[in-house]
């Protein structure tokens, strides 16, 4: 077992059974003209998480460790989008509308793509998800079982929505979860701070948090 200097206490992980999961680092959330901006958010607030996430990706790639990317994206006919989600996601543009990056949060459209800096490489698993949680209506559980993964390191956006939802889903399914503090961001800094605090409260009731430098320091040398 390897050890990360984490909160609320050290996180132990078996290298061969640990995956990096990068949640929804999509143009629709991080760039102007997408879903996040249409909802009235300042998308620049998500930018600080890009470089630490890239450093984690580079470290996992260099060691041949499993990487999973997720994308929040709906079928073109929106048949997998509940009316409640459509109704409450109404800003200047809503899911399925045509914006500057194509149809908002629709699979295959430019805005639904992962930002170029963090684009998946061939062979990396990409899970398209219609919900906030990545286990809902997706084959994520099956992919993790095939890989023999028991431990998940989380990066991505937004901290209190899709990242936290997926981390809670994973926690309930028995995965040992750690959220990388500087590799996640929210449009609301206070929500990010609250999420980190509630994850590690009560003895790590949802899991652990640690900095990306602590994660990188725990990894073995590149073979
Ligand atoms: C949101 C997400 N915020 N990826 N999605 O709607 O967090």
């Amino acid at each position: 077992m390897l050890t990360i200097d984490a909160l609320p206490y050290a996180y132990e992980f078996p290298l061969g059974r640990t995956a990096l999961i990068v949640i929804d680092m999509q143009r629709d959330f991080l760039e102007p003209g997408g879903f996040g901006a249409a909802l009235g958010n300042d998308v620049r607030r998500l930018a600080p998480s890009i470089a630490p996430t890239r450093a984690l990706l580079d470290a996992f790639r260099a060691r041949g460790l499993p990487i999973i990317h997720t994308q929040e994206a709906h079928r073109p006919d929106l048949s997998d989008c509940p009316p409640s989600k459509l109704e409450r996601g109404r800003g200047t543009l809503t899911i399925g509308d045509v914006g500057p990056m194509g149809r908002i949060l629709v699979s295959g459209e430019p805005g639904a793509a992962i930002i170029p800096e963090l684009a998946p490489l061939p062979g990396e698993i990409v899970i398209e998800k219609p919900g906030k949680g990545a286990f809902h209506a997706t084959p994520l559980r099956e992919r993790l079982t095939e890989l023999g993964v028991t431990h998940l390191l989380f990066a991505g956006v937004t901290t209190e929505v899709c990242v936290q939802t997926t981390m809670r889903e994973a926690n309930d399914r028995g995965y040992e979860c750690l959220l990388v503090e500087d590799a996640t961001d929210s449009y609301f800094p206070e929500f990010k701070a609250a999420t980190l605090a509630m994850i590690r409260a009560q003895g790590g009731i949802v899991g652990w948090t640690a900095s990306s430098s602590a994660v990188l320091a725990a990894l073995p040398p590149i073979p």
Side-chain angles (χ1 to χ4, degrees):
M1 295 290 260
L2 300 172
T3 304
I4 296 173
D5 182 11
L7 290 171
Y9 53 88
Y11 175 83
E12 299 207 329
F13 67 105
L15 195 62
R17 293 185 168 271
T18 303
L20 174 65
I21 180 162
V22 182
I23 305 289
D24 299 1
M25 290 297 256
Q26 296 164 248
R27 299 183 66 199
D28 264 331
F29 295 112
L30 286 121
E31 293 185 13
F35 186 53
L39 290 176
N41 297 301
D42 178 358
V43 295
R44 291 170 302 182
R45 292 218 162 128
L46 306 188
S49 59
I50 297 173
T53 302
R54 179 58 195 257
L56 293 169
L57 281 170
D58 289 346
F60 268 63
R61 286 169 177 160
R63 292 166 178 81
L65 301 173
I67 294 170
I68 293 148
H69 305 259
T70 71
Q71 283 171 284
E72 186 173 346
H74 294 279
R75 295 185 196 127
D77 65 3
L78 303 187
S79 57
D80 57 355
C81 184
S84 58
K85 181 175 182 183
L86 212 49
E87 192 54 42
R88 279 185 280 124
R90 265 185 205 289
T92 50
L93 292 168
T94 194
I95 298 167
D97 287 350
V98 179
M101 294 189 287
R103 294 183 67 204
I104 298 277
L105 285 193
V106 169
S107 179
E109 298 286 334
I114 292 171
I115 58 170
E117 301 94 309
L118 306 177
L121 293 184
E124 293 174 1
I125 294 171
V126 180
I127 301 279
E128 284 200 346
K129 62 187 189 51
K132 303 305 181 193
F135 286 86
H136 167 66
T138 76
L140 177 57
R141 182 84 190 258
E142 288 74 16
R143 295 290 95 79
L144 294 175
T145 303
E146 286 160 14
L147 290 168
V149 165
T150 54
H151 289 57
L152 290 168
L153 305 186
F154 280 80
V157 297
T158 60
T159 315
E160 78 283 6
V161 186
C162 291
V163 176
Q164 181 174 211
T165 304
T166 303
M167 197 167 172
R168 288 177 180 275
E169 286 181 328
N171 183 51
D172 280 348
R173 286 163 176 77
Y175 296 95
E176 300 284 16
C177 300
L178 180 144
L179 175 55
V180 186
E181 295 154 2
D182 50 334
T184 182
D185 267 314
S186 168
Y187 302 120
F188 306 92
E190 67 277 25
F191 291 174
K192 172 177 174 176
T195 302
L196 294 177
M198 68 178 80
I199 281 168
R200 60 195 179 212
Q202 304 179 76
I205 199 153
V206 180
W208 286 259
T209 77
S211 65
S212 60
S213 55
V215 174
L216 297 175
L219 295 174
I222 296 167

